[in-house]
Amino acid sequence: MLGNSWFKKEKPFLGLTGLGGGVGSNLVAGSSVVYTEATGGTTNDYTDPSGKNYRAHIFIAPGAFTVTQVSDADGGGATVEYLVVAGGGSAGGTTKSGGGRGGAGAGGLRTNLTGHPLAGSAFPISTSPGSYTVTVGDGAAATSQTTGNKGGDSAFGPITSTGGGAGGYGPQFSPPTENDGGSGGGDYSVGPGYCGLGNTPPVSPSQGNPSGQGGDNTAGGGGGAGAAGGTGGPIGGVGGAGVQVAIAGPPTSSPVGTPGPSGNGWFAGGGGGGGSWNISPGVGGAGGAGGGGAGKGKPGYGNGDAGTTNTGGGGGGSSGSGPSGSAYSGGAGGPGIVVVRYEVA
């Protein structure tokens, strides 16, 4: 899905040759300042709202970020900024008369983008060694089973984000920690309820949030990078909101992520919880901003919606449609993404 048609050119691309494309020289005319150069992924050059020029390397498949030249602007060293989003979890399927299944958790999200509320520490780079392995987590596959699946982990060098937790039907999780992940997956919660835990394993700043609690025959929403999932009630719990990380392009025209409350470039929204066939209104919960799939319920019975590709969004929960109705599958998780950027001339 990541094609050149997504990109808004803010300035000419330098040496772009697609996945694994190289870059040209960044020596400033009339200046001795050397800027960072690297290869890997698909590159996008742009100018941010402050007027600074950046090159973003966008990975939607495994690869390597290889530094070929290090900036001397700060005395011979350099840093890069990153976004690492894991794959979203998938939600479970329902029997004909089953209650709603929990929305799946979004993939964990980690960034050190300057000024971002979730920014981690600086990431120094060097040319010895000059290559950093990139792993992009798969979204969990859709399933008709009662419980969903966890998403795949993503990584940039030593920075790892954990796949989103599975959504499902709480009593049948064995162990219940299948709900846990970068953000937690929700459940239907017959009997003692279990909220899927986010930020598991724990990192600081947090990579995600817990799910909501199921109730009234509807299921809890999956957690997102920016908020916990909603609690089930007359309708399925909403998916937890993701966060905006405008690292691959300007906030108004980011080539990756989804639109959200404050522009483009949103990631890691939780899946909405499934509704119910035997209470009113019984509709499914909305997916969280940042690619979370919507849950289903009456009157729009069907398979839970999938998380959006390359956002790490969690899959939406499904709902049975009554004894004479049909059984449905939970939504698949959205694959993750890794973006690395640095300033250029």
Side-chain angles (χ1 to χ4, degrees):
M1 290 188 63
L2 186 61
N4 287 340
S5 61
W6 287 25
F7 291 150
K8 174 184 177 183
K9 279 192 181 180
E10 300 295 333
K11 59 183 291 187
F13 282 56
L14 301 179
L16 174 60
T17 58
L19 293 176
V23 297
S25 173
N26 288 322
L27 291 176
V28 181
S31 170
S32 61
V33 175
V34 174
Y35 283 80
T36 297
E37 293 183 0
T39 62
T42 298
T43 57
N44 185 35
D45 287 6
Y46 67 95
T47 302
D48 78 354
S50 73
K52 291 183 177 181
N53 300 313
Y54 287 98
R55 173 165 295 130
H57 293 248
I58 303 167
F59 294 85
I60 60 171
F65 177 78
T66 302
V67 180
T68 57
Q69 177 174 283
V70 174
S71 169
D72 67 357
D74 56 359
T79 60
V80 295
E81 295 173 308
Y82 60 78
L83 168 68
V84 181
V85 183
S90 65
T94 53
T95 60
K96 293 182 180 181
S97 57
R101 300 300 189 247
L109 182 150
R110 300 182 68 184
T111 185
N112 68 342
L113 184 67
T114 301
H116 196 279
L118 297 177
S121 59
F123 191 102
I125 58 173
S126 68
T127 55
S128 181
S131 189
Y132 300 84
T133 299
V134 173
T135 302
V136 178
D138 292 329
T143 179
S144 60
Q145 299 299 309
T146 303
T147 59
N149 302 298
K150 281 188 173 181
D153 296 351
S154 291
F156 166 53
I159 305 298
T160 299
S161 294
T162 307
Y169 184 74
Q172 298 186 31
F173 272 108
S174 181
T177 51
E178 285 297 304
N179 286 87
D180 303 340
S183 282
D187 64 25
Y188 170 51
S189 300
V190 173
Y194 183 83
C195 290
L197 301 179
N199 196 31
T200 304
V203 293
S204 181
S206 174
Q207 62 177 311
N209 291 281
S211 73
Q213 173 70 56
D216 291 341
N217 290 318
T218 66
T231 297
I235 66 174
V238 299
V243 294
Q244 184 184 34
V245 188
I247 191 172
T252 55
S253 58
S254 175
V256 292
T258 65
S262 56
N264 295 333
W266 282 70
F267 300 89
S276 174
W277 64 272
N278 62 353
I279 64 168
S280 292
V283 299
K296 293 297 177 68
K298 66 181 183 182
Y301 297 117
N303 300 328
D305 287 349
T308 303
T309 300
N310 301 126
T311 66
S318 60
S319 175
S321 52
S324 60
S326 300
Y328 295 106
S329 297
I337 193 168
V338 173
V339 182
V340 185
R341 84 167 188 180
Y342 47 87
E343 192 174 353
V344 295

